[in-house]
């Protein structure tokens, strides 16, 4: 069998459709579940794309166009209704929930618009969390988390809790947490959405640095300056690629 080359796409998404069933819970509550009568909504339809190591892919589209659905799939948080998604060569539909959790831990970093940090913990402990799940020893965790915070320019803020940090600093902590495991893929949902322009620019530089380190990056955004760092942009409308 051919060995994977370092330039092979890390993310491959082939003819992916994701549909949701609407009204299912309500019908159950009323004890009237008629599956065939439940309307389905197709959030994503027949989307194909690839992302290679070191490449930045932008995902653009208005609200409701399917960006979050696509990011959830690319982050192995969800599986497609049809089509295939492979991350580092593994088809996520073939994996159990536990195996998908392991794939996320080993290969994927995720950055959300609203940071999702634990407010009671200092920055260094927030960044170290994925390493706890990986079973890394306490002293190594602290060293690696500290190093990741230095990389995002927060070496002096390690003992601050999120409430003691600005929005831009919190997002840098979230990026350090996503990068601390050296993931193959970094996925970001509107990572600059809540930040002023100068702070947003600083965050974008961190994504470019991660791409220089060969991480494949997917950024969904409404914001053209954010998408300007992308090598390619996929445009979504009503769940379809309109640039393909
Ligand atoms: P975006 O991130 O671009 O705003 P989404 O991926 O959140 O778009 O949503 C795409 C479409 O799928 C929308 O019509 C949305 O209402 C629908 N949708 C998303 N999640 C669900 C769900 N869990 N159940 C039903 N419909 C959903």
């Amino acid at each position: 069998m051919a060995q994977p080359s370092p330039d092979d796409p890390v993310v491959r998404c082939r003819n992916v459709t994701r549909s949701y069933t609407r009204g299912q819970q309500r019908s159950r509550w009323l004890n009237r579940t008629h599956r065939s009568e439940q309307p389905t909504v197709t959030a994503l339809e027949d989307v194909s794309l690839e992302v290679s190591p070191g490449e930045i892919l932008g995902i653009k589209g208005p609200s409701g166009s399917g960006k979050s659905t696509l990011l959830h799939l690319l982050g192995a948080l969800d599986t497609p209704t049809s089509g295939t998604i492979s991350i580092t060569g593994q088809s996520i539909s073939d994996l159990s929930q536990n195996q998908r959790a392991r794939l996320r831990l080993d290969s994927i970093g995720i950055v959300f618009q609203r940071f999702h940090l634990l407010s009671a913990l200092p920055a260094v402990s927030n960044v170290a969390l994925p390493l706890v799940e990986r079973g890394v020893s306490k002293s190594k965790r602290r060293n690696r988390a500290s190093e990741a915070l230095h990389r995002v320019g927060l070496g002096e803020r390690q003992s601050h809790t999120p409430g003691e940090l600005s929005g831009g600093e919190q997002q840098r902590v979230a990026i350090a947490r996503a990068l601390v495991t050296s993931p193959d893929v970094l996925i970001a949902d509107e990572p600059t959405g809540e930040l002023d322009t100068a702070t947003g620019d600083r965050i974008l530089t961190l994504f470019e640095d991660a791409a220089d380190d060969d991480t494949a990056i997917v950024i969904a955004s409404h914001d053209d300056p954010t998408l300007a760092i992308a090598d390619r942009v996929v445009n979504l409308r009503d769940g379809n690629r309109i640039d393909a």
Side-chain angles (χ1 to χ4, degrees):
M1 207 169 78
Q3 290 296 313
S5 131
D7 294 329
D8 278 353
V10 190
V11 175
R12 276 182 208 268
C13 178
R14 288 260 192 279
N15 306 107
V16 163
T17 293
R18 177 65 170 102
S19 314
Y20 298 106
T21 305
R22 274 210 172 126
Q24 197 162 5
Q25 270 183 331
R26 188 157 173 261
S27 305
R28 275 208 190 115
W29 178 249
L30 296 172
N31 201 19
R32 284 195 270 122
T33 306
H34 302 295
R35 277 186 179 276
S36 56
E37 290 172 22
Q38 284 159 10
T40 58
V41 49
T42 302
L44 213 57
E45 189 171 22
D46 199 23
V47 169
S48 298
L49 57 85
E50 293 184 342
V51 197
S52 296
E55 188 176 32
I56 303 181
L57 179 76
I59 312 268
K60 183 179 181 177
S63 188
S65 58
K67 300 185 299 297
S68 303
T69 300
L70 180 56
L71 289 188
H72 275 79
L73 291 165
L74 299 180
L77 292 160
D78 189 17
T79 50
T81 309
S82 64
T84 330
I85 294 189
S86 305
I87 313 285
T88 60
Q90 301 179 76
S91 164
I92 62 167
S93 298
D94 294 342
L95 303 179
S96 66
Q97 277 211 13
N98 282 345
Q99 287 170 324
R100 275 197 282 131
R102 188 73 226 180
L103 174 68
R104 286 198 298 275
L105 201 53
D106 287 342
S107 305
I108 303 171
I110 303 184
V111 176
F112 299 96
Q113 181 175 5
R114 288 171 196 259
F115 326 135
H116 291 261
L117 300 174
L118 296 183
S119 59
L121 296 184
V124 70
S125 305
N126 266 288
V127 173
L129 279 175
L131 302 176
V132 176
E133 287 180 68
R134 276 184 157 199
V136 175
S137 73
K138 197 169 177 183
S139 62
K140 282 193 183 147
R141 287 200 307 259
R142 189 156 273 272
N143 286 344
R144 283 175 60 182
S146 172
E147 195 187 306
L149 281 168
H150 274 102
R151 265 167 68 191
V152 300
L154 289 177
E156 309 304 316
R157 296 273 202 282
Q158 307 200 22
S159 58
H160 289 54
T161 58
E164 295 166 339
L165 298 171
S166 69
E169 288 169 338
Q170 289 182 58
Q171 189 58 304
R172 277 148 66 193
V173 174
I175 292 172
R177 181 184 55 188
L179 290 175
V180 75
T181 54
S182 306
D184 298 295
V185 187
L186 182 66
I187 288 173
D189 194 0
E190 295 282 3
T192 54
E194 307 239 315
L195 307 174
D196 62 77
T197 309
T199 313
D201 286 349
R202 179 143 201 204
I203 297 295
L204 294 177
T205 307
L206 298 177
F207 288 113
E208 292 178 307
D209 292 346
D212 287 343
D213 287 340
D214 265 356
T215 307
I217 300 185
V218 182
I219 302 181
S221 183
H222 286 97
D223 181 42
D224 285 333
T226 298
L227 293 168
I229 69 162
D231 298 300
R232 285 183 299 121
V233 176
V234 160
N235 280 285
L236 290 180
R237 174 132 324 154
D238 299 330
N240 293 282
R241 264 191 84 164
I242 55 170
D243 51 275

